[in-house]
Amino acid sequence: MNYIVTEETMHKDVKKILITHLEIVEKCQELGALINQDYQDEPPLLVALLKGSVPFLAELIKNLKIDVEYDFMDVSSYEGTESIGDVKILKDLDQSIRGRKILLVEDIVDTGNTIKEVTRLLANKGASEVKVVSLLDKPSRRVVDLKIDYLGFEIPNEFVIGFGLDYNEKYRNLPYVAVLKEEIYDEVL
Ligand code: IMP
């Protein structure tokens, strides 16, 4: 299904759509094909980071023909230490990952701290390999060195919402990735 969104039907708080629903659907087909090929011998456990990666996970797995399983983690930055990059585990995995290949599913890689720390955590839990698939990448904001093995779209340094991404927990349900109108930020400043 494709959601055709026009100027008239897009959310009233949206300034512009950066990535349409159709573009996301097609990109997930491409990423799925690559993942199917790379994991033919040993299917990975997909580990999706709550809450933002849920719509991306749901779209991506429609295109996976290998026998994947998925699990969720919820992490947050320790307050005041964002630049150091420590993360606090709010919800841990339900199963042991010792010896397993992990494919981390993320909505957006920004500074890279979250992915870097979670990768380290999963390696400490005994994962045999940790790779990353991310819908979006904001490389201009990166503060740590990391590799995104499967990437949807590179975007400029703008705060985006939709397709799982939120602003104050809103807009996660939008079927596209968009930039908010400036006045929406002004309202809470
Ligand atoms: P990082 O640790 O700086 O890479 O941050 C990653 C997390 O920050 C993502 O999983 C998002 O939850 C959040 N984030 C970063 N940029 C944006 C954005 O433009 N919109 C919404 N959330 C964002």
Side-chain angles (χ1 to χ4, degrees):
M1 177 161 72
N2 176 31
Y3 298 81
I4 306 284
V5 181
T6 62
E7 291 276 321
E8 290 75 40
T9 58
M10 72 184 189
H11 193 288
K12 64 177 177 29
D13 297 347
V14 165
K15 181 174 153 190
K16 65 174 177 200
I17 294 176
L18 276 189
I19 305 167
T20 66
H21 186 72
L22 181 60
E23 287 171 322
I24 296 172
V25 168
E26 287 176 349
K27 186 60 79 175
C28 286
Q29 290 169 357
E30 280 171 37
L31 294 174
L34 291 174
I35 293 167
N36 286 329
Q37 210 168 31
D38 291 355
Y39 288 96
Q40 270 170 14
D41 297 338
E42 189 185 335
L45 171 68
L46 304 189
V47 173
L49 297 184
L50 293 171
K51 307 172 196 167
S53 65
V54 170
F56 177 46
L57 174 75
E59 190 57 46
L60 183 68
I61 56 174
K62 290 179 193 166
N63 301 290
L64 298 183
K65 297 185 170 57
I66 47 177
D67 289 327
V68 290
E69 293 167 43
Y70 59 80
D71 202 346
F72 297 96
M73 272 182 96
D74 195 3
V75 299
S76 75
S77 302
Y78 280 116
E79 216 165 309
T81 62
E82 229 177 325
S83 56
I84 299 166
D86 274 0
V87 295
K88 184 166 63 179
I89 299 178
L90 303 176
K91 188 223 167 284
D92 208 343
L93 297 172
D94 293 337
Q95 57 198 284
S96 162
I97 56 163
R98 184 151 297 280
R100 294 206 62 177
K101 287 189 173 179
I102 303 294
L103 182 57
L104 255 180
V105 183
E106 181 59 309
D107 51 0
I108 186 167
V109 181
D110 187 29
T111 64
N113 280 328
T114 308
I115 286 296
K116 188 92 183 174
E117 288 301 309
V118 173
T119 300
R120 201 169 56 90
L121 267 165
L122 297 176
N124 284 343
K125 284 173 177 279
S128 61
E129 174 188 280
V130 183
K131 288 192 172 179
V132 177
V133 56
S134 182
L135 177 64
L136 304 173
D137 180 21
K138 247 193 250 180
S140 56
R141 294 255 308 158
R142 196 76 87 256
V143 299
V144 293
D145 198 24
L146 65 84
K147 181 175 176 216
I148 302 173
D149 300 278
Y150 307 94
L151 175 65
F153 305 91
E154 196 174 297
I155 59 165
N157 185 14
E158 282 193 277
F159 190 83
V160 290
I161 46 128
F163 216 79
L165 291 147
D166 73 306
Y167 176 62
N168 286 343
E169 294 298 325
K170 275 179 77 178
Y171 312 113
R172 292 191 196 274
N173 57 307
L174 300 184
Y176 44 79
V177 173
V179 178
L180 271 180
K181 288 179 180 162
E182 278 89 15
E183 66 244 39
I184 305 300
Y185 302 109
D186 297 343
E187 278 170 19
V188 294
L189 290 179

